[in-house]
């Protein structure tokens, strides 16, 4: 007991006499937590890790800014702009990012790419926003009640096309049962035509339970950019796949990204 009291006394004296000692302990915890998060991303060893003192005690949730004349932003693999080092996957407008470290006016972020996989990299801090920059919509009849939320569900592109179209769609690695709604994020990332009118128009959201597809609602899309849609399903159902189909002149001409999160399920 005396030995334990002596050790605690020494630690208290160190904190009083050497303020940096406690700060170093906190910094080490932040560094371990941040580094573990980075190492859980795809090909994390391609980036330069932050310095131990650069990790944040409290992470930030921010959003990618709209780029000039482009749908996405460059992400560096090192905390230096225009370093010549290989770039990381693009950060698209409105994509939610988690900032785990800050260094040289750059932020080390965790973010999802076009393929919905988690990546890490460095980006200039002023290119991140506090709020989602795009349009937001609510589709379907809002349901009252207390629901459980599944914030992150693993998604991937299907190997084939949506039946009756030449369009890609998203599959859930594990279907979500008793789902009443979810948040969809959508963005056209390449028009592939100078005739913009050919690719603009309403988007219809289709949802599959693994066997059948239903049209769950639609939202407007007359200007290019990221949008977020709170989609309410007509009744609780299993969600196994999601497709966003353009009601326009050339629905299969352009490239787009889509992701879904915050699945609401009945308790």
């Amino acid at each position: 007991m005396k030995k334990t009291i002596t050790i605690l006394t020494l630690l208290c004296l160190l904190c009083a006499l050497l303020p940096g000692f406690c700060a170093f302990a906190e910094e080490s915890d932040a560094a371990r937590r941040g580094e573990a998060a980075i190492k859980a991303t795809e090909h994390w060893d391609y980036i330069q890790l932050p310095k131990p003192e650069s990790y944040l005690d409290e992470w930030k949730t921010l959003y990618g800014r709209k780029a000039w004349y482009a749908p996405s932003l460059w992400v560096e693999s090192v905390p230096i702009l225009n370093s010549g080092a290989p770039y990381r996957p693009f950060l698209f407008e409105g994509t939610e990012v988690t900032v785990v470290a800050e260094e040289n006016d750059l932020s080390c972020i965790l973010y999802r790419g076009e393929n919905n996989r988690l990546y890490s990299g460095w980006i200039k801090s002023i290119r991140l926003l506090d709020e989602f920059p795009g349009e937001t919509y609510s589709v379907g009849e809002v349901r009252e009640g207390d629901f459980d939320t599944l914030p992150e569900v693993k998604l991937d592109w299907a190997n084939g096309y949506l039946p009756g179209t030449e369009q890609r769609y998203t599959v859930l690695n594990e279907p979500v049962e008793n789902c009443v709604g979810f948040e969809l994020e959508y963005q056209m990332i390449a028009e592939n035509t100078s005739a913009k009118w050919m690719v603009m128009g309403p988007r219809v959201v289709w949802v599959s339970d693994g066997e059948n597809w239903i049209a769950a609602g639609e939202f407007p899309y007359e200007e290019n950019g990221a949008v977020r849609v709170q989609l309410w399903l007509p009744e609780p159902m299993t969600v196994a796949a999601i497709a966003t189909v353009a009601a326009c002149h050339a629905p299969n001409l352009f490239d787009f990204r889509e992701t879904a999160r915050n699945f609401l399920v009945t308790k």
Side-chain angles (χ1 to χ4, degrees):
M1 178 64 73
K2 289 183 178 180
K3 185 175 181 180
T4 302
I5 294 173
T6 302
I7 292 173
L8 290 173
T9 303
L10 286 173
L11 288 173
C12 290
L13 286 171
L14 280 171
C15 287
L17 298 175
L18 302 172
F21 177 82
C22 290
F24 175 77
E26 293 176 1
E27 175 186 285
S28 297
D29 290 340
R32 283 195 291 268
R33 179 170 170 253
E35 186 173 315
I38 292 172
K39 289 183 176 180
T41 64
E42 298 275 336
H43 307 300
W44 67 267
D45 48 338
Y46 286 21
I47 80 162
Q48 179 179 317
L49 291 173
K51 297 176 182 177
E53 63 272 19
S54 299
Y55 287 97
L56 303 179
D57 291 323
E58 294 186 13
W59 295 348
K60 300 177 182 179
T61 299
L62 301 174
Y63 302 89
R65 182 187 294 273
K66 185 174 183 178
W68 291 103
Y69 308 111
S72 59
L73 298 164
W74 295 102
V75 180
E76 305 276 354
S77 54
V78 297
I80 303 171
L81 286 179
N82 304 318
S83 64
Y87 286 109
R88 303 291 285 150
F90 291 121
L91 173 67
F92 287 93
E93 174 196 351
T95 299
E96 185 175 293
V97 308
T98 301
V99 180
V100 299
E102 295 176 331
E103 193 173 307
N104 298 337
D105 294 325
L106 277 80
S107 296
C108 184
I109 60 173
L110 315 178
Y111 66 103
R112 294 201 177 275
E114 178 193 352
N115 58 4
N116 280 313
R117 295 179 183 172
L118 190 63
Y119 294 97
S120 53
W122 293 90
I123 192 168
K124 197 168 179 63
S125 298
I126 62 172
R127 293 174 182 161
L128 301 175
L129 302 172
D130 291 327
E131 297 181 354
F132 180 73
E135 297 289 339
T136 58
Y137 302 102
S138 180
V139 174
E141 185 177 348
V142 178
R143 303 179 73 91
E144 301 294 335
D146 187 16
F147 306 112
D148 287 329
T149 302
L150 307 179
E152 293 292 338
V153 174
K154 195 169 182 181
L155 310 171
D156 210 342
W157 287 110
N159 291 326
Y161 293 128
L162 178 69
T165 73
E166 296 178 10
Q167 186 168 287
R168 303 162 76 196
Y169 65 95
T170 300
V171 292
L172 284 64
N173 283 34
E174 292 290 337
V176 175
E177 298 180 350
N178 299 315
C179 181
V180 297
F182 56 88
E183 186 178 80
L184 174 76
E185 189 170 301
Y186 175 91
Q187 181 187 7
M188 186 162 56
I189 59 177
E191 296 175 8
N192 300 326
T193 178
S194 58
K196 190 174 180 179
W197 62 270
M198 295 179 66
V199 295
M200 294 300 175
R203 269 45 176 173
V204 180
V205 183
W206 290 77
V207 179
S208 171
D209 60 5
E211 295 183 1
N212 302 305
W213 288 90
I214 67 164
E218 70 174 56
F219 60 91
Y221 199 78
E222 301 301 332
E223 291 292 333
N224 204 346
V227 300
R228 273 193 173 179
V229 180
Q230 177 59 54
L231 183 78
W232 294 96
L233 297 169
E235 60 183 20
M237 63 175 288
T238 296
V239 176
I242 301 165
T244 309
V245 179
C248 64
H249 186 77
N252 300 318
L253 181 61
F254 58 87
D255 298 324
F256 67 98
R257 71 176 183 91
E258 68 180 8
T259 190
R261 63 170 64 83
N262 293 330
F263 288 82
L264 301 175
V265 297
T266 58
K267 290 192 174 182

